[in-house]
Amino acid sequence: MNVEWLKLFEQVLQQLPLTLVMIAFALVFALILGLILAVIRIRRTPILNPAVRVFLSFSRSTPLVLQLFLVYFALPQVLLFVGIDINQFSRLFFAILAFTLHSGAYLSEVIRAGYQSVPYAQVEAGLTVGLSYPQVIRRIIVPQALRNSLPNLTTQIIELIKDTSLAFTIGIIDMMGQVQLIIGNNYGLGMLEVYIVISIIYWALALIVQGALTLVSHRTSRPYQV
């Protein structure tokens, strides 16, 4: 491989840790948010359920870049009306918040679909043999729901990895931001090479996630016994 290619990879990968931090925090918080939203939808909680449906509709119907701008530019102004000042928060906070809200909306549907994929007859059977409802959730529903949700979960994690490439639009120098700096410093020269490099890196990250979750899927594909 040409030394210049190696140099490009090295320059872009300098910001890989920041990209991984965004992905990790956004994924953890999105899973928590998705679980909360899914529970509200499953239980059809009064007042909250319609509000969640509106939120999900908005999140799934508007571009992520617009949601990112709303969180970064509009949210601080709205909160000032109630005396909360978050203008001093870092750009990273706003990026993670936007990615959390967006991914959480999709993950809530993945979690809900996984829960509903388990036949209710199995829940009744668990209760019949003396298991408490929390035990039924932990020993019957969760293992099967997780197994059934893994393909969609894999897709959403890969989508999140790609979504973080928009963080540079609010001034965060992650890998994509580093690419823009390299192109700007070279006055637009070498754009093809730089974009090839960043494409390979994102592709590699997606393959790692896909491979890891495929392995988990194979290990959990055996029939579950209570």
Side-chain angles (χ1 to χ4, degrees):
M1 181 179 287
N2 191 290
V3 176
E4 291 301 318
W5 284 93
L6 289 174
K7 183 177 179 181
L8 283 177
F9 272 102
E10 180 182 354
Q11 289 178 328
V12 176
L13 287 172
Q14 287 177 357
Q15 301 304 323
L16 176 61
L18 179 58
T19 298
L20 293 178
V21 166
M22 279 195 296
I23 294 170
F25 276 96
L27 178 59
V28 170
F29 292 136
L31 285 170
I32 295 172
L33 175 62
L35 179 60
I36 294 172
L37 298 179
V39 170
I40 293 173
R41 292 292 310 279
I42 291 169
R43 294 186 175 182
R44 298 183 179 180
T45 307
I47 301 177
L48 291 179
N49 186 42
V52 168
R53 295 186 65 176
V54 170
F55 169 71
L56 296 182
S57 177
F58 178 83
S59 297
R60 296 164 64 181
S61 304
T62 56
L64 174 56
V65 66
L66 173 60
Q67 297 173 30
L68 180 59
F69 289 160
L70 286 174
V71 169
Y72 183 63
F73 294 109
L75 181 60
Q77 302 303 315
V78 172
L79 291 181
L80 280 178
F81 285 108
V82 293
I84 301 176
D85 185 4
I86 61 172
N87 285 294
Q88 304 304 317
F89 286 17
S90 70
R91 291 185 175 95
L92 185 60
F93 166 82
F94 292 104
I96 292 174
L97 177 58
F99 298 142
T100 295
L101 294 174
H102 182 77
S103 296
Y106 284 89
L107 287 174
S108 69
E109 293 299 281
V110 172
I111 294 171
R112 187 169 72 97
Y115 174 86
Q116 293 177 336
S117 68
V118 181
Y120 189 72
Q122 296 190 28
V123 177
E124 294 177 329
L127 296 174
T128 300
V129 298
L131 295 178
S132 65
Y133 190 71
Q135 288 176 319
V136 170
I137 293 290
R138 179 172 56 86
R139 300 178 63 180
I140 297 179
I141 295 180
V142 170
Q144 295 184 76
L146 179 60
R147 183 176 61 204
N148 296 339
S149 300
L150 276 176
N152 289 331
L153 180 61
T154 301
T155 299
Q156 290 308 316
I157 294 177
I158 292 175
E159 286 296 324
L160 175 60
I161 292 173
K162 295 187 296 183
D163 289 345
T164 58
S165 64
L166 291 174
F168 82 95
T169 60
I170 61 171
I172 294 178
I173 308 301
D174 62 337
M175 289 195 300
M176 200 64 191
Q178 183 77 339
V179 164
Q180 301 305 315
L181 285 179
I182 294 172
I183 293 174
N185 291 337
N186 292 333
Y187 301 100
L189 298 177
M191 291 177 61
L192 175 61
E193 292 84 352
V194 179
Y195 284 134
I196 290 175
V197 166
I198 190 65
S199 298
I200 291 173
I201 294 173
Y202 276 113
W203 186 17
L205 289 176
L207 289 177
I208 291 171
V209 170
Q210 186 173 8
L213 291 182
T214 298
L215 180 61
V216 172
S217 178
H218 287 163
R219 290 189 174 184
T220 59
S221 61
R222 293 169 296 183
Y224 184 79
Q225 296 180 347
V226 179

